[in-house]
Amino acid sequence: MERLRAFLVGLPRRYKRLIQVTTDVVVVWAALWLAFIVRLGIDEMANPLRDHLWLFFAAPVVAIPLFVRFGMYRAVMRYFGNDALIAIFKAVSLSALILVIVVYLNSNQQHTVPRSIIFIYWWLSLIMVGGLRLAMRQYFLGDWFSASQHVPFTNRDDGLPRVAIYGAGAAGNQLVAALRMGRLMRPVAFIDDDASIAERVISGLQVYKPKHIERMIDDTGAQEILLAIPSSNRGRRREILGFLEGFPLHVRSIPGFMDLASGRVKVDDIQEVDIADLLGRDAVPAQSDLLERCIKGQCVLVTGAGGSIGSELCRQIMSLRPKTLLLFEHSEFNLYSILSELEQRVTRESLPITLLPILGSVRNPSKLMDVMKTWRVDTVYHAAAYKHVPMVEHNIAEGVLNNVIGTLNTAQAALQVGVANFVLISTDKAVRPTNVMGSTKRLAELTLQALSRELAPVMFGDKFNISRVNKTRFTMVRFGNVLGSSGSVIPLFHKQIKSGGPITVTHPKITRYFMTIPEAAQLVIQAGSMGQGGDVFVLDMGEPVKITELAEKMIHLSGLSVRSDRNPHGDIAIEFTGLRPGEKLYEELLIGDNVVATRHPMIMSANEDHLSWEVLKGKLTELLDAVDEDDYTRVRQLLRDTVSGYSPDGEIVDWIYQQRRLEP
């Protein structure tokens, strides 16, 4: 059977059509013959081939051209659906109607064709032509009993994982069809909140209420649940996931509605549960005028364009139709990756946008000046930074040079060239920091705040003391962790669960703010359009998430249990490794309580202390001297003196500092 199926599927298209036409001629003859039997009976029936031979020639002559005209030979059997059934109904009905006319025109008294013969022929043709195609669809799918869950003697164990589909709507039914075709999983049941379809059968699967999941598991042996509710909001998905967490089932989902609509993914692209659904927070609709103000028809530069936030900024900026998008990145691989993705999109959507990939470092001020001047940049989104707390703690000099001096170089180049808008991507770790990364990001904020308050500042490092007129509007946007970014705990937890554990968490009480990368990037763009100059905007991150609880939810939704003192036979253990250098138990978004609302409900404006440009230049000079001398004790003290609330926890762990202390 398998060899025959493979042979038939592999035939050239013209041979497949010839087989279909030949089969339909035989089916039409059979339907006509059976019509005579049904009407006259076997005993009394005269030989129809002797008395009505012309009718057996006329029937296929009328039917086959109509079958061709209605596209019945263009349909692929494996994907035979409702549209094809409607085409069959139209073609068979029209052929029967024309055959009535033919019979009427050729009737004679000696061999009269009973009028009901054509009606019987019509419904027999519908059943035989349509039924044969439905049977062949199942045959080519290789699964005769995929929709026969409740048919006696048809159940069998095919070794495929058994899955229940949560959501019996259009997406759920498409998913069932895709799973049956792919034959990697076996759908065994639907679960749906709609009481009107509970206990009914859809696509051959019984529909269970959520409260009957235990019974569903006993009845079907389901091992996984696939969420097929792409149009549900995050709040509803969070409720469902919270409910499913109590069952020993691995929960996964199909992509969201917008991903399906855009064609980026298919309905059968099954994925692990989106952690954003566990947070349960729906994104606030964007305000189009804020999105477009600094981008549409302009030249936009994104530094750190290959990073997590930088790349998402580039994707969203593309949708807002800039004239030119400059991708500034020091990692060749990251730059190539985001460029390839965006070029495909430009081609696919025929976007009138010039994409320019530029390899360079924000620590090279002349390169930044050349780029901004050559392309007459209108808006800069500065996302380039070192953000990994322990890594920067061990490499203090690089953190200072990249986060502070890199921001200073980019801001001064923008000011000297006359860039209209400059947006710094900051972090919640800049608030009362306990680490070098947070303190350098706060110092970067102070740099922009100081520059924005100068009408004609003298550039840092300019020995000629020449002032430049300030035409640049500097804005800072501060937010917490983004889901799925480089260094995020979520991919790490997935990897640890897949390898059998344990999951490593630094501290039982550690909490973090989370936001999705697309939401953060969209809010950054809108916030950058609202500032008057020197503004520090803070994104509403919702409630902080306890990392231990997040780990437990991920374990439960993988169909596993947490191993602990109370449950020593659990599947995955959670181990606490202790806080890493510079790490805080919790993060904050505001230094003080002086915050005001903006026109966007998710964006607040913080009024915080700042330094004058002259004072800050002196501090930066001292800081650079200390870095050049590898004097990290002095670097730490200078950061303490400059950054309000900076209180480092523990000893200096910079690699060079530690190695020199070990030397005699």
Side-chain angles (χ1 to χ4, degrees):
M1 294 290 286
E2 288 291 339
R3 292 175 63 183
L4 177 60
R5 185 185 301 116
F7 171 75
L8 291 174
V9 170
L11 283 174
R13 185 65 184 157
R14 61 180 181 277
Y15 292 148
K16 292 179 182 177
R17 285 181 175 175
L18 179 61
I19 292 173
Q20 286 181 282
V21 170
T22 304
T23 303
D24 280 340
V25 170
V26 174
V27 167
V28 166
W29 282 341
L32 192 56
W33 183 281
L34 287 173
F36 278 96
I37 293 177
V38 170
R39 170 65 178 82
L40 302 175
I42 296 176
D43 296 334
E44 300 180 10
M45 183 189 72
N47 187 348
L49 289 177
R50 184 191 62 200
D51 299 333
H52 305 290
L53 182 63
W54 66 271
L55 189 58
F56 282 83
F57 282 104
V61 168
V62 170
I64 298 303
L66 288 172
F67 289 1
V68 174
R69 178 66 183 84
F70 279 89
M72 288 171 52
Y73 302 119
R74 292 196 299 269
V76 179
M77 286 295 179
R78 284 168 290 170
Y79 308 107
F80 192 80
N82 293 336
D83 291 342
L85 288 174
I86 293 172
I88 290 172
F89 177 82
K90 292 178 178 178
V92 171
S93 299
L94 187 58
S95 68
L97 184 62
I98 294 175
L99 199 60
V100 168
I101 299 172
V102 173
V103 168
Y104 174 78
L105 294 175
N106 289 275
S107 61
N108 57 65
Q109 296 297 324
Q110 186 176 1
H111 299 295
T112 301
V113 178
R115 284 171 292 182
S116 60
I117 288 288
I118 303 302
F119 174 74
I120 297 170
Y121 161 76
W122 169 72
W123 63 258
L124 282 173
S125 294
L126 282 177
I127 293 173
M128 296 174 71
V129 173
L132 178 63
R133 279 165 168 78
L134 288 173
M136 293 309 295
R137 180 185 70 177
Q138 295 303 111
Y139 173 71
F140 284 118
L141 286 175
D143 191 355
W144 285 99
F145 305 109
S146 63
S148 59
Q149 179 179 331
H150 302 283
V151 179
F153 312 114
T154 61
N155 292 330
R156 82 265 188 243
D157 185 7
D158 50 14
L160 298 178
R162 291 171 171 261
V163 298
I165 313 297
Y166 199 115
N173 279 273
Q174 290 178 49
L175 181 59
V176 167
L179 292 177
R180 285 171 174 166
M181 192 171 300
R183 305 191 68 195
L184 295 176
M185 297 179 178
R186 181 172 176 77
V188 294
F190 278 118
I191 304 165
D192 202 281
D193 303 316
D194 187 353
S196 65
I197 61 173
E199 307 303 327
R200 299 179 69 178
V201 175
I202 296 177
S203 296
L205 305 178
Q206 183 169 336
V207 182
Y208 291 83
K209 293 181 180 179
K211 64 181 181 181
H212 295 152
I213 287 182
E214 285 282 6
R215 176 161 65 86
M216 182 274 296
I217 296 173
D218 294 336
D219 292 346
T220 65
Q223 301 158 293
E224 294 190 25
I225 287 183
L226 304 181
L227 299 182
I229 46 175
S231 58
S232 295
N233 61 42
R234 287 215 181 107
R236 178 59 188 146
R237 292 172 76 90
R238 183 184 185 182
E239 291 177 11
I240 293 171
L241 291 172
F243 175 73
L244 296 178
E245 194 181 340
F247 299 97
L249 296 166
H250 185 183
V251 182
R252 294 195 283 174
S253 69
I254 63 172
F257 177 78
M258 292 308 297
D259 290 330
L260 293 171
S262 65
R264 289 194 294 267
V265 292
K266 302 187 295 295
V267 73
D268 58 336
D269 285 340
I270 297 166
Q271 59 194 18
E272 294 298 330
V273 169
D274 191 345
I275 302 302
D277 293 335
L278 293 179
L279 303 182
R281 202 170 66 115
D282 289 307
V284 174
Q287 299 181 16
S288 58
D289 61 320
L290 291 179
L291 285 175
E292 296 177 349
R293 183 172 298 170
C294 299
I295 294 173
K296 189 173 183 180
Q298 302 181 41
C299 179
V300 180
L301 168 67
V302 179
T303 68
S308 305
I309 290 293
S311 59
E312 182 61 30
L313 279 170
C314 292
R315 294 183 192 101
Q316 298 207 20
I317 288 169
M318 288 272 289
S319 303
L320 301 171
R321 302 296 193 272
K323 179 180 63 177
T324 306
L325 177 56
L326 306 176
L327 314 174
F328 194 90
E329 173 63 56
H330 80 283
S331 168
E332 182 184 35
F333 175 77
N334 288 353
L335 183 59
Y336 172 77
S337 298
I338 186 61
L339 176 66
S340 300
E341 177 188 333
L342 297 182
E343 283 182 333
Q344 291 176 15
R345 184 174 168 190
V346 166
T347 303
R348 185 174 64 248
E349 300 178 17
S350 301
L351 299 177
I353 299 172
T354 302
L355 278 178
L356 294 170
I358 300 172
L359 273 174
S361 170
V362 292
R363 286 158 62 173
N364 185 344
S366 60
K367 180 65 175 283
L368 289 164
M369 280 276 293
D370 287 343
V371 170
M372 294 184 199
K373 190 173 183 178
T374 301
W375 281 280
R376 298 178 182 176
V377 172
D378 298 293
T379 301
V380 173
Y381 291 97
H382 181 53
Y386 289 145
K387 306 180 186 75
H388 194 276
V389 169
M391 195 72 74
V392 175
E393 207 69 20
H394 287 296
N395 298 273
I396 293 176
E398 293 304 305
V400 170
L401 293 174
N402 202 63
N403 293 357
V404 179
I405 304 306
T407 301
L408 175 66
N409 291 339
T410 312
Q412 289 194 154
L415 192 148
Q416 292 178 83
V417 171
V419 171
N421 311 293
F422 187 104
V423 183
L424 169 68
I425 313 303
S426 192
T427 170
D428 57 354
K429 294 173 178 61
V431 178
R432 282 184 276 274
T434 60
N435 50 67
V436 175
M437 193 281 279
S439 63
T440 55
K441 290 297 287 182
R442 176 54 187 153
L443 191 49
E445 290 181 358
L446 288 169
T447 300
L448 297 193
Q449 286 177 303
L451 279 172
S452 68
R453 285 166 170 78
E454 296 290 326
L455 295 177
V458 175
M459 297 295 97
F460 177 79
D462 187 348
K463 54 188 175 183
F464 299 108
N465 291 324
I466 300 174
S467 61
R468 272 82 169 179
V469 176
N470 188 355
K471 298 179 181 179
T472 304
R473 184 172 57 89
F474 292 102
T475 305
M476 293 134 277
V477 185
R478 188 188 291 161
F479 55 93
N481 298 277
V482 286
L483 294 169
S485 66
S486 57
S488 172
V489 298
I490 307 304
L492 175 63
F493 285 175
H494 275 307
K495 184 178 179 181
Q496 290 174 334
I497 291 172
K498 192 173 182 179
S499 63
I503 283 184
T504 55
V505 179
T506 55
H507 193 281
K509 295 182 179 179
I510 194 167
T511 64
R512 288 292 181 266
Y513 290 101
F514 285 102
M515 179 180 282
T516 64
I517 296 178
E519 183 183 7
Q522 190 178 83
L523 289 173
V524 163
I525 293 172
Q526 293 176 89
S529 299
M530 292 194 296
Q532 301 301 314
D535 307 80
V536 178
F537 291 108
V538 180
L539 304 188
D540 181 355
M541 302 291 294
E543 295 298 319
V545 177
K546 197 171 181 179
I547 301 300
T548 305
E549 293 179 358
L550 184 62
E552 290 174 352
K553 286 179 181 291
M554 291 180 66
I555 292 172
H556 292 151
L557 292 173
S558 297
L560 304 170
S561 59
V562 179
R563 189 188 312 148
S564 62
D565 294 337
R566 289 180 296 177
N567 183 24
H569 302 294
D571 301 300
I572 305 288
I574 297 177
E575 293 184 357
F576 299 104
T577 58
L579 293 175
R580 298 172 295 181
E583 197 167 37
K584 296 170 69 174
L585 272 180
Y586 61 92
E587 301 291 355
E588 304 168 89
L589 289 166
L590 296 170
I591 294 175
D593 297 326
N594 194 5
V595 63
V596 295
T598 68
R599 57 177 287 191
H600 196 292
M602 300 290 287
I603 303 172
M604 300 172 289
S605 179
N607 297 311
E608 297 178 347
D609 295 335
H610 61 276
L611 300 175
S612 70
W613 178 233
E614 288 303 316
V615 171
L616 187 63
K617 283 199 295 183
K619 297 287 187 183
L620 291 176
T621 300
E622 292 183 59
L623 186 62
L624 275 180
D625 291 341
V627 168
D628 288 341
E629 296 167 7
D630 293 329
D631 188 349
Y632 298 111
T633 303
R634 189 171 163 222
V635 168
R636 173 178 277 194
Q637 188 57 49
L638 285 166
L639 289 174
R640 277 179 191 263
D641 297 340
T642 311
V643 176
S644 175
Y646 175 47
S647 55
D649 185 19
E651 297 293 324
I652 297 173
V653 295
D654 183 89
W655 297 127
I656 294 176
Y657 176 84
Q658 288 186 322
Q659 184 62 30
R660 287 185 176 173
R661 289 187 64 184
L662 295 174
E663 293 175 357

